[in-house]
């Protein structure tokens, strides 16, 4: 085996990430029997009413020795909740003069538990191939009954228009680079589920196969993206309403078609059986062109069960979803008014670098105002820092420019734009995401009545058994708290009114009162523990009155004297000196001790963030950097 640092395919792998070489995932070979199942394709959809399951299983069986002609295959579908077989099918296989056969199974499953990110119900499909005098071959696959489609201009899962509350995720570890363990993947999923994230875009390449298994198991919608990014060859050709539309030779020159198609085929053939994969992506930032149209057509011919998306073609025909990056609010409003009959889901937005992600609620106020808008994927999940140690033993996270020759090619800190730090510690922005992405909203129209309206904004989850915890705070101190179990049916996309037990008549008229409310899980749900807060809100019930006493006691008189360069104000225990030329406070002496180390000067400057540097703030606002020098 050889691992190449650079090759012609490097032009297709220009993702914004570390350029690391080596074997980053498991590589293995295995020996097959003389007759073996070579491929399994599973389609677990739903009927037109989204009630009954439609299971299609296609097995490709191959014979490697003509000395054996027969084998037996058994296919079982097992209900995980009961352990019972709901399908059990046996087939006898005879090859005759052929060495390759296809076996098809078509079954209707009455009212199966459906798969969604909220309720990731799975069944187990077991395939057993028996060849005389040889070990049996066993194949196990997870099956989730669900649909993903575009209908009436919206993305539907199981017939229901959903909101994509997503993040982009690179495979990164602070110590091992692009090699990520199962334990780290589980921690990622736990953090995402705890913070109301329901979708992941595999930016910008198919992920480790284990990731998809875990997304199936614990419930995350996945946009599976091909390992295609030709950023360096791309030329922007802005549309009037979109600045990132582009072309490149990768999209227009037919010489690139075969390597592009090779990557698309590998992704689809490997990942098509995963219910978590609801959308295919043709890649990222590689420009448009007929080559990408042909990739789109190949996917449609080989998997009609999922939509296909691609960003840089913008509104061309070879994307089922309009997936711009970094759309502004004005652009979303414009799209709402357009005749476009495709959903808009931002493939990247809210670039979470430095102290960012603060206007997320503004985005979502617009998104929730129109059915054409169905969410987006924050850029991105994790800071791509690499753990290093200084000579004194202190550890730090290195980024672009910390390795290699001085002034070598580098994007500086541009890969440090995650919601979690390189060690998966949450950043403050993740708390903002949790709040904005929460699936329960609260309305308290009249604080005097105590009637609280709950909106179950889940699309598939019944909130029966969840609990509402509320606290009454007087001047910041809890004076009352209660817990209400939400008993009975509380269907998704419905409301429920609750009567809270507090009386404004008993409030201290001078005190400040807040009501804090929170929804907690009734049980452990996958990676989310019992009692976890999934949504919360705070309401101001009464403003307090100020207790500040503005009456001054009698003070000693002050005296002022003036010299050619200073003004001095003298009191009993205090001396204040101003410089007449600069206007600066030169000294402040209290009880004989100077409080200043130097003149007090105005300061209107701070260290620029990466975003500041990006918009040339250091140039635009340069006059304010040393404003004190201009006052001397």
């Amino acid at each position: 085996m050889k691992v190449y640092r650079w090759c012609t395919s490097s032009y297709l792998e220009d993702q914004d990430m570390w350029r690391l070489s080596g074997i980053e995932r498991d590589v293995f070979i295995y020996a097959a029997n003389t007759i073996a199942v070579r491929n399994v394709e599973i389609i677990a959809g739903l009927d037109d009413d989204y009630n009954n399951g439609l299971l299609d299983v296609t097995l490709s069986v191959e014979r490697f020795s003509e000395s054996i002609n027969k084998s037996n295959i058994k296919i079982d579908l097992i209900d995980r909740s009961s352990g019972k077989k709901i399908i059990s099918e046996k087939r006898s296989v005879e090859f005759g003069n052929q060495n390759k056969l296809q076996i098809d199974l078509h079954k209707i499953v009455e009212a199966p538990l459906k798969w969604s990110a909220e309720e990731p119900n799975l069944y187990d499909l077991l395939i057993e191939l028996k060849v005389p005098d040889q070990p049996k071959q066993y194949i196990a696959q997870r099956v989730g009954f669900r649909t993903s489609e575009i209908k009436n201009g919206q993305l539907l899962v199981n017939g229901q228009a959903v909101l994509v509350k997503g993040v982009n995720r690179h495979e990164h570890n602070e110590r091992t680079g692009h090699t990520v363990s199962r334990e780290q993947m589980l921690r990622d999923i736990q953090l995402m589920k705890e913070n109301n994230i329901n979708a992941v875009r595999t930016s910008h390449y198919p992920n480790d196969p284990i990731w998809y298994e875990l997304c199936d198991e614990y419930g995350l919608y996945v946009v599976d993206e091909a390992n295609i990014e030709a950023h360096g060859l791309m030329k922007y050709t802005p549309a009037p309403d979109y600045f990132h539309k582009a072309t490149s030779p990768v999209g227009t020159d037919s010489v690139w078609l075969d390597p592009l198609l090779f990557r698309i085929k590998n992704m689809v053939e490997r990942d098509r059986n995963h219910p978590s994969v609801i959308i295919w992506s043709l890649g990222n930032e590689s420009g448009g062109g007929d080559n990408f149209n042909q990739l789109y057509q190949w996917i449609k011919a080989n998997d009609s069960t999922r939509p296909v998306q691609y960003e840089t073609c913008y509104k061309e025909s070879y994307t089922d979803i309009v997936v711009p990056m970094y759309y502004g609010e004005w652009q979303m409003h414009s799209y709402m008014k357009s005749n476009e009959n495709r959903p808009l889901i931002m493939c990247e937005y809210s670039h979470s670098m430095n102290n960012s992600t603060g206007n997320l609620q503004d985005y979502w106020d617009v998104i929730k105002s129109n059915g054409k808008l169905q969410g987006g994927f924050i850029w991105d999940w994790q800071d791509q820092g690499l753990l290093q140690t200084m000579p004194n033993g202190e550890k730090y996270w290195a980024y672009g420019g910390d390795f290699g020759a001085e002034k070598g090619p580098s994007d500086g800190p541009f890969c440090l734009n995650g919601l979690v730090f390189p060690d998966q510690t949450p950043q403050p922005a993740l708390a903002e995401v949790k709040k904005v992405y929460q699936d329960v909203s609260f309305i308290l129209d009249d604080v005097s009545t105590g009637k609280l309206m709950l909106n179950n904004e889940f699309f598939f989850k019944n909130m029966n058994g969840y609990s509402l915890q509320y606290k009454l705070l007087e001047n910041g101190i809890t004076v009352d708290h209660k817990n209400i179990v939400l008993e009975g049916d509380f269907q998704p996309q419905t409301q429920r009114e609750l009567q809270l037990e507090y009386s404004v008549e008993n409030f201290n008229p001078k005190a400040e009162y807040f009501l804090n409310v929170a929804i907690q899980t009734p049980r452990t749900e996958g990676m989310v523990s019992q009692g976890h807060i999934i949504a919360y809100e705070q309401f101001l019930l009464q403003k307090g009155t100020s207790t500040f006493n503005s009456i001054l006691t009698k003070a000693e008189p002050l005296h002022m004297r003036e010299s050619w360069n200073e003004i001095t104000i003298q009191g009993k225990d205090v001396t204040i000196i101003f410089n007449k030329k600069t206007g600066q406070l030169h000294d402040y002496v209290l009880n004989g001790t100077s409080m200043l180390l130097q003149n007090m000067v105005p300061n209107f400057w701070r260290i620029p963030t990466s975003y500041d540097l990006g918009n040339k703030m250091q140039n635009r606002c340069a006059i304010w950097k040393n404003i004190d020098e201009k006052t001397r």
Side-chain angles (χ1 to χ4, degrees):
M1 178 181 292
K2 293 182 179 180
V3 178
Y4 291 94
R5 172 66 167 165
W6 307 112
C7 62
T8 53
S9 294
S10 299
Y11 289 99
L12 297 178
E13 299 179 3
D14 192 20
Q15 292 94 341
D16 293 333
M17 63 182 187
W18 289 101
R19 303 292 192 263
L20 304 175
S21 299
I23 299 173
E24 297 166 346
R25 301 180 190 165
D26 290 342
V27 178
F28 59 90
I29 58 175
Y30 66 94
N33 290 336
T34 51
I35 296 177
V37 176
R38 300 289 288 167
N39 190 45
V40 180
E41 292 183 9
I42 301 170
I43 299 175
L46 300 169
D47 61 17
D48 292 341
D49 295 324
Y50 305 103
N51 290 325
N52 295 321
L54 304 177
L55 180 65
D56 295 307
V57 181
T58 301
L59 305 182
S60 299
V61 185
E62 190 168 349
R63 177 175 68 168
F64 301 98
S65 172
E66 295 184 359
S67 63
I68 298 179
N69 185 49
K70 294 183 179 181
S71 63
N72 294 297
I73 285 182
K74 183 171 73 168
I75 303 172
D76 294 331
L77 184 68
I78 300 173
D79 185 337
R80 282 189 169 191
S81 60
S82 66
K84 295 181 180 179
K85 295 179 182 179
I86 56 177
I87 292 176
S88 187
E89 184 88 2
K90 294 182 179 180
R91 301 282 181 91
S92 179
V93 180
E94 294 189 19
F95 283 88
N97 296 324
Q98 305 176 73
N99 288 324
K100 295 181 180 180
L101 291 176
Q102 178 174 301
I103 297 174
D104 298 310
L105 175 69
H106 308 284
K107 293 288 184 179
I108 296 176
V109 178
E110 292 187 3
L113 297 174
K114 303 178 189 70
W115 188 96
S116 68
E118 298 170 16
E119 300 283 355
N121 298 300
L122 291 172
Y123 294 78
D124 290 317
L125 185 76
L126 300 181
I127 300 167
E128 176 190 295
L129 174 65
K130 186 177 182 180
V131 180
D133 302 321
Q134 293 189 19
K136 294 179 181 179
Q137 180 185 10
Y138 292 98
I139 298 173
Q141 293 273 294
R142 293 179 173 92
V143 173
F145 288 94
R146 67 109 187 91
T147 58
S148 176
E149 60 190 329
I150 306 297
K151 187 178 287 187
N152 299 323
Q154 290 185 300
L155 170 68
L156 307 184
V157 173
N158 301 339
Q160 171 68 55
V162 297
L163 290 175
V164 174
K165 302 175 179 181
V167 293
N168 285 272
R169 175 183 175 269
H170 267 293
E171 292 182 315
H172 180 79
N173 180 276
E174 62 172 344
R175 298 176 183 272
T176 58
H178 298 323
T179 299
V180 179
S181 67
R182 186 177 189 273
E183 290 71 26
Q184 181 179 336
M185 296 181 205
L186 282 169
R187 179 59 178 156
D188 276 348
I189 290 177
Q190 181 181 23
L191 285 169
M192 290 176 188
K193 299 292 285 187
E194 286 177 344
N195 290 281
N196 298 322
I197 292 164
N198 70 0
V200 175
R201 177 178 175 229
T202 66
S203 52
H204 304 288
Y205 39 81
N207 283 187
D208 188 306
I210 296 173
W211 177 252
Y212 301 87
E213 295 175 4
L214 297 176
C215 290
D216 293 342
E217 186 75 27
Y218 294 105
L220 284 172
Y221 298 125
V222 174
V223 173
D224 203 5
E225 190 150 271
N227 187 15
I228 298 171
E229 179 166 341
H231 206 149
L233 300 176
M234 193 171 65
K235 179 180 179 181
Y236 287 104
T237 55
D241 56 345
Y242 187 54
F243 311 128
H244 291 93
K245 192 172 188 292
T247 61
S248 79
V250 166
T252 57
D253 190 336
S254 61
V255 73
W256 289 98
L257 181 58
D258 283 346
L260 293 174
L261 194 55
F262 176 79
R263 290 160 183 260
I264 289 289
K265 288 180 177 179
N266 283 342
M267 174 182 70
V268 173
E269 296 296 351
R270 191 196 72 165
D271 298 338
R272 66 189 308 157
N273 292 343
H274 290 284
S276 57
V277 177
I278 65 167
I279 299 169
W280 300 117
S281 170
L282 301 180
N284 184 62
E285 293 181 317
S286 298
D290 185 62
N291 286 348
F292 286 96
N293 181 43
Q294 293 194 55
L295 301 183
Y296 173 89
Q297 298 299 337
W298 185 90
I299 292 180
K300 288 298 183 180
N302 288 272
D303 178 25
S304 61
T305 67
R306 298 172 174 91
V308 178
Q309 71 175 50
Y310 185 52
E311 177 261 330
T312 42
C313 74
Y314 192 36
K315 295 180 182 178
E316 300 291 345
S317 60
Y318 45 95
T319 181
D320 298 320
I321 307 168
V322 178
V323 286
M325 55 175 62
Y326 308 111
Y327 236 35
E329 288 182 46
W330 69 269
Q331 290 169 298
M332 291 194 290
H333 281 292
S334 177
Y335 191 86
M336 287 159 50
K337 298 173 184 176
S338 72
N339 295 323
E340 187 61 54
N341 196 34
R342 285 176 285 187
L344 186 143
I345 301 172
M346 292 173 286
C347 70
E348 296 177 22
Y349 80 115
S350 192
H351 198 274
S352 194
M353 191 179 227
N354 307 135
N355 187 24
S356 181
T357 325
N359 66 334
L360 194 63
Q361 186 63 59
D362 299 332
Y363 263 114
W364 277 85
D365 288 343
V366 179
I367 289 169
K368 290 185 175 182
S369 71
N370 189 279
K372 281 186 177 181
L373 311 178
Q374 290 187 255
F377 297 85
I378 293 170
W379 188 267
D380 67 344
W381 174 244
Q382 182 180 14
D383 281 352
Q384 295 179 60
L386 294 174
L387 190 64
Q388 298 292 298
T389 304
M390 292 193 292
N392 64 1
E394 186 176 349
K395 296 185 182 298
Y396 69 100
W397 286 311
Y399 54 85
D402 284 329
F403 300 96
E406 187 177 355
K407 297 183 180 179
S410 164
D411 276 338
F414 197 70
C415 286
L416 299 180
N417 37 37
L419 295 172
V420 299
F421 289 108
D423 63 354
Q424 298 179 287
T425 301
Q427 298 188 22
L430 188 57
E432 180 77 7
V433 172
K434 176 181 179 178
K435 180 67 174 68
V436 177
Y437 275 7
Q438 68 186 28
D439 293 296
V440 182
S441 60
F442 310 84
I443 300 173
L444 188 67
D445 285 330
D446 186 350
V447 300
S448 65
T449 65
K451 291 182 179 179
L452 179 70
M453 185 68 72
L454 299 184
N455 295 307
N456 179 356
E457 296 181 2
F458 285 108
F459 297 100
F460 305 103
K461 186 186 289 290
N462 192 317
M463 288 181 59
N464 174 37
Y466 281 68
S467 61
L468 173 81
Q469 180 189 80
Y470 71 91
K471 295 181 180 180
L472 183 65
L473 286 79
E474 178 185 294
N475 293 334
I477 299 173
T478 300
V479 293
D480 192 14
H481 64 90
K482 287 185 173 60
N483 197 69
I484 301 175
V485 177
L486 305 178
E487 297 178 340
D489 209 24
F490 192 3
Q491 290 289 336
Q493 299 292 299
T494 64
Q495 294 182 323
R496 175 179 290 190
E497 186 178 83
L498 297 178
Q499 180 64 57
L500 306 186
E501 297 178 3
Y502 69 81
S503 174
V504 296
E505 296 177 358
N506 296 327
F507 287 1
N508 180 341
K510 294 183 178 181
E512 175 188 71
Y513 287 90
F514 276 100
L515 176 70
N516 290 352
V517 295
I519 296 290
Q520 295 177 300
T521 55
R523 67 192 73 86
T524 297
E525 298 178 341
M527 299 293 290
V528 179
S529 60
Q530 180 182 4
H532 176 73
I533 294 175
I534 64 168
Y536 61 94
E537 194 56 83
Q538 183 178 74
F539 299 97
L540 175 63
L541 303 182
Q542 177 179 290
K543 292 183 179 180
T545 58
S546 173
T547 58
F548 176 72
N549 187 354
S550 60
I551 301 175
L552 296 176
T553 59
K554 184 178 179 180
E556 296 293 331
L558 298 175
H559 304 281
M560 186 183 78
R561 66 177 183 272
E562 187 173 353
S563 68
W564 68 272
N565 67 333
E566 291 181 341
I567 296 175
T568 301
I569 300 173
Q570 184 75 50
K572 178 182 179 183
D573 300 313
V574 63
T575 302
I576 303 170
I577 304 173
F578 290 95
N579 185 293
K580 290 174 66 175
K581 181 180 179 181
T582 65
Q584 295 174 358
L585 178 63
H586 175 67
D587 205 354
Y588 183 89
V589 181
L590 183 64
N591 295 322
T593 302
S594 176
M595 300 288 104
L596 302 181
L597 296 177
Q598 63 183 44
N599 286 7
M600 185 176 288
V601 298
N603 178 25
F604 298 96
W605 193 256
R606 58 167 170 75
I607 296 175
T609 67
S610 298
Y611 286 136
D612 294 330
L613 297 175
N615 65 42
K616 309 300 181 185
M617 183 273 275
Q618 75 277 20
N619 299 327
R620 290 185 295 103
C621 302
I623 189 174
W624 295 99
K625 185 173 183 179
N626 298 309
I627 194 69
D628 62 299
E629 295 178 358
K630 298 174 176 57
T631 64
R632 293 174 185 172

